[in-house]
Amino acid sequence: MATGSLTITGTAIITVSSALAWFVLGYAFFAVLYAAAGSLVSRQEDVDVTTPPLALVLMGMVMEAFFVARNPERCDAMTQALGDQHRGEGV
């Protein structure tokens, strides 16, 4: 039996726990949004009117995640430029 062949660093533990925490927060966020949208209707048949805007937001977030994963350097530059604008330094 090989012991000690797998080492898990503290950084890996922090990364995995952070990703899990963000997943749980995102799931809770959309669960609350869908519950609020469901409470706006009086009949079950009317739910299909309130959920498409939430589905579009969710699809937009997924597409943005794929964009960032595909080209992370460009996104860092965009984020930095936006940060400079908010601080009043200009681009």
Side-chain angles (χ1 to χ4, degrees), residues 43-72:
R43 299 181 319 184
Q44 274 186 328
E45 293 83 15
D46 297 334
V47 172
D48 61 345
V49 176
T50 60
T51 55
L54 297 175
L56 286 174
V57 171
L58 184 61
M59 286 179 7
M61 292 174 69
V62 169
M63 290 169 53
E64 181 67 21
F66 280 118
F67 173 73
V68 169
R70 186 174 184 162
N71 194 358

Side-chain angles (χ1 to χ4, degrees), residues 6-42:
L6 177 65
T7 58
I8 300 175
T9 63
T11 305
I13 293 172
I14 291 172
T15 302
V16 169
S17 61
S18 174
L20 183 63
W22 281 111
F23 174 78
V24 169
L25 284 173
Y27 189 87
F29 175 72
F30 276 101
V32 168
L33 284 181
Y34 273 98
S39 71
L40 293 174
V41 297
S42 58

